């Protein structure tokens, strides 16, 4: 019997239920969150639920990003919309960087 994370700080256990039931509850919780239209949320899931969660999220217009994995559990972030890459200026020429810093 394992805990099902409903929201941060709230976990449930269903005594006498098997893993299939637990996964069904997790998918139901995910579906409810996705249907609500929240732009971004994080949930902790069983690793076995991840593939089904990914399919559900994709079909409902969300991206799924795994933030941590440990002991059969994964923390997953669900995001809507496209995400632009974060760009960073990188200078390969050390002499240019030195000239630029000394002129300031």
């Amino acid at each position: 019997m394992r805990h099902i994370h409903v929201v941060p700080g709230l976990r449930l256990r269903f005594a006498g239920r098997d893993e299939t039931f637990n996964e069904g509850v997790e998918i139901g919780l995910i579906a409810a969150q996705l249907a609500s239209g929240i732009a971004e949320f994080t949930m902790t899931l069983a690793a076995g639920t991840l593939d089904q969660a990914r399919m559900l999220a994709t079909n409902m217009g969300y991206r799924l990003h795994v933030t941590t994995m440990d002991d059969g559990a994964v923390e997953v972030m669900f995001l809507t919309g496209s995400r632009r890459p974060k760009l960073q200026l990188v200078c390969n020429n050390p002499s240019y960087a030195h000239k630029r810093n000394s002129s300031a």
Side-chain angles (χ1 to χ4, degrees):
M1 179 169 52
R2 69 173 171 85
H3 284 98
I4 297 171
H5 297 263
V6 179
V7 293
L10 177 61
R11 301 178 305 170
L12 299 174
R13 288 190 301 188
F14 295 96
R17 298 296 184 147
D18 64 1
E19 189 58 25
T20 303
F21 177 83
N22 292 336
E23 289 178 6
V25 170
E26 284 181 339
I27 291 299
L29 291 168
I30 293 167
Q33 291 276 25
L34 295 171
S36 73
I38 297 171
E40 179 180 315
F41 64 96
T42 302
M43 290 188 73
T44 302
L45 312 170
T49 311
L50 188 57
D51 289 338
Q52 193 173 3
R54 189 179 310 275
M55 284 193 312
L56 181 62
T58 300
N59 287 330
M60 294 184 75
Y62 281 78
R63 299 186 319 291
L64 185 145
H65 175 71
V66 176
T67 57
T68 59
M69 289 183 90
D70 58 25
D71 296 330
V74 292
E75 186 175 271
V76 179
M77 183 181 294
F78 294 86
L79 306 150
T80 59
S82 62
R83 187 177 216 172
R84 290 184 170 186
K86 292 183 180 179
L87 302 177
Q88 180 180 5
L89 181 61
V90 177
C91 182
N92 280 346
N93 186 343
S95 63
Y96 174 76
H98 177 70
K99 287 177 190 175
R100 187 172 165 189
N101 289 337
S102 62
S103 64

